[in-house]
Structure formats: structure tokens, C-alpha cells
Amino acid sequence: MSDVWAELNDTILGILENVESLKAAVRELYDLFKVAMSRYAAAIPSAQQKKLPLDEKLLDSLPWTENKSGTGWWTPKENCPELWDAVLATEKWRLKIGDFEYVIYDRERPFINRFPVRKRNE
């Protein structure tokens, strides 16, 4: 019976060692990810530094489609790649221009969303 307990003990210790090495590998991967993201962020000029060729008249003239909830509009990024780049250059992928806020939710879905900026009194 003591052989069974010894084998079980060895197995549990082996599993715990594997968990610790896995945790160390995940920490290392996370550190590499943070370095890569900081380099990526540094490579993209911020919207404030970049002169934007975007004005309200240009943005109003784009073909906007009303969203299903009726709270805003969307347009494919091909309609205004400059706006797409400017929104992605912001930290939270949100950019206010005039009375509207332009938002990108997912880089894989190439749509720019447009919502009216809510006033504090509303």
C-alpha cells in the first residue's frame, strides 16, 4: 500500500512542477506580448500628432447606413481609410470630431461606427 501512496505522491509532485513551469512560460509570454504591444503603439502616430485631412463636411458626405438599433450609423472602412487610420490611432479606438464620435469595435470587421455625441444635459 505504501508503494501506491509513494507513486501517487510522485505523480502529484510531477504535476505541480509542470504547473509551475507552465505558469513561468505564461508569464514570459505575457512579458513578450507587452513589449510587442508597446513597440506597435509607438510605431503608430497618435491622432493628435497627425494632421487629419478630415472635416465634418467630408464625414457627413460619406454613405452612412443606419444601425439596427437606430442609435447610429456605420460605413465600410474603404469609404474613408483616413478616418479608419485616425480612429485606430487613438487609445480606445474612439475619435470625436464635431458632433459625432467615430468608433471601431473590431479590426477584423472593417466598419467605422458613427454616433452622435451626447450632451451632458440629455
Side-chain angles (χ1 to χ4, degrees), residues 53-71:
L54 304 171
D55 64 11
E56 292 178 56
K57 288 181 182 178
L58 167 72
L59 298 174
D60 288 342
S61 70
L62 295 175
W64 295 100
T65 303
E66 189 169 2
N67 62 20
K68 291 179 183 176
S69 63
T71 58

Side-chain angles (χ1 to χ4, degrees), residues 21 25 39 63 67 69 75 89 109:
S21 65
R39 288 180 183 169
N67 62 20
S69 63
T75 192
R109 298 184 64 223

Side-chain angles (χ1 to χ4, degrees), residues 4-122:
V4 172
W5 286 112
E7 188 176 330
L8 180 60
N9 189 39
D10 289 344
T11 302
I12 291 172
L13 288 175
I15 290 171
L16 291 175
E17 287 174 8
N18 285 338
V19 167
E20 288 303 315
S21 65
L22 181 60
K23 284 171 48 178
V26 168
R27 276 191 215 104
E28 194 173 323
L29 185 61
Y30 178 69
D31 290 341
L32 289 172
F33 175 76
K34 287 193 313 188
V35 168
M37 289 308 295
S38 66
R39 288 180 183 169
Y40 174 75
I44 298 175
S46 72
Q48 289 75 25
Q49 294 171 341
K50 189 176 177 182
K51 296 262 183 188
L52 300 175
L54 304 171
D55 64 11
E56 292 178 56
K57 288 181 182 178
L58 167 72
L59 298 174
D60 288 342
S61 70
L62 295 175
W64 295 100
T65 303
E66 189 169 2
N67 62 20
K68 291 179 183 176
S69 63
T71 58
W73 304 267
W74 61 270
T75 192
K77 82 173 190 179
E78 292 81 24
N79 289 339
C80 193
E82 300 86 7
L83 178 60
W84 175 265
D85 293 340
V87 173
L88 281 184
T90 64
E91 185 177 337
K92 295 184 179 179
W93 296 353
R94 295 176 172 272
L95 179 63
K96 290 181 184 170
I97 299 175
D99 294 333
F100 294 96
E101 182 174 33
Y102 300 88
V103 181
I104 295 173
Y105 292 112
D106 183 354
R107 292 178 82 158
E108 302 303 316
R109 298 184 64 223
F111 300 103
I112 304 166
N113 298 279
R114 179 184 194 189
F115 300 100
V117 174
R118 297 179 189 259
K119 309 293 183 208
R120 286 195 176 259
N121 297 342
E122 290 181 16

